[in-house]
Amino acid sequence: MSAPAPRPPGLPALPATFRPTLTRVVLLAVGAAMFVVITAVAMILENLSAGERTSFVFVALLFFGVLALLSRPRITADEAGITVVNITRTRRLVWAEILRVNLRAGDPWVFLDLSDGTSMPALGIQPGIARERAIRDARTLRALAEFHGTGVNGVTENG
């Protein structure tokens, strides 16, 4: 029985999770603030009926729910593959399915080229607010895909 290949330096311990933390914090903080303000307005206005107050609170919850969905994306890597959680969908991929990890200049998030010929967005790595961290995370994900997978992997970043 052969020993497992040595882990190259710089690879994180698995499981590892990549997520746009600052974006998540901003979205959840804005959602909570909007909920508090709208609910306070509903309680302060004297001319509102109970039904109107309830509808204000419902709308505030709806806004918070949408922002919570937008803060959901992440990529979790483990020994067997990755789990990509986007806004409303979750997909599990084994390492051999990932041929390339792409984060080109101007891309809103990482794209994964898959062995079935398709490309999949992975919103867990976004250069919007924290560009340098996104590039570092994309390179780490690429290195993990190269170490664990079988395809031709590479991050392309022109910027």
Side-chain angles (χ1 to χ4, degrees):
M1 184 164 221
S2 65
R7 185 181 282 306
L11 283 185
L14 296 179
T17 300
F18 305 97
R19 69 173 42 170
T21 305
L22 187 55
T23 301
R24 180 179 170 87
V25 168
V26 169
L27 287 169
L28 292 175
V30 168
M34 284 177 49
F35 176 78
V36 168
V37 168
I38 292 172
T39 301
V41 167
M43 299 307 149
I44 291 171
L45 293 176
E46 297 174 3
N47 296 336
L48 295 180
S49 69
E52 291 169 327
R53 288 182 204 276
T54 302
S55 68
F56 266 72
V57 173
F58 176 75
V59 168
L61 279 172
L62 188 63
F63 281 145
F64 183 78
V66 168
L67 292 178
L69 272 177
L70 291 173
S71 72
R72 188 172 178 253
R74 71 179 176 277
I75 301 166
T76 303
D78 59 32
E79 294 294 336
I82 66 172
T83 302
V84 179
V85 178
N86 287 333
I87 294 171
T88 59
R89 301 186 96 188
T90 299
R91 184 164 174 195
R92 178 77 182 154
L93 299 167
V94 296
W95 288 114
E97 290 180 90
I98 304 167
L99 299 180
R100 184 173 302 276
V101 177
N102 294 305
L103 179 60
R104 293 176 291 262
D107 281 351
W109 40 70
V110 162
F111 287 91
L112 305 174
D113 291 340
L114 305 179
S115 59
D116 65 2
T118 63
S119 182
M120 178 182 171
L123 281 64
I125 300 175
Q126 304 175 6
I129 295 177
R131 182 176 183 267
E132 293 304 316
R133 178 173 176 176
I135 291 170
R136 187 175 60 248
D137 287 350
R139 287 182 177 150
T140 301
L141 184 60
R142 178 215 46 216
L144 286 168
E146 287 176 348
F147 180 71
H148 292 285
T150 58
V152 177
N153 302 303
V155 170
T156 307
E157 195 281 319
N158 302 323

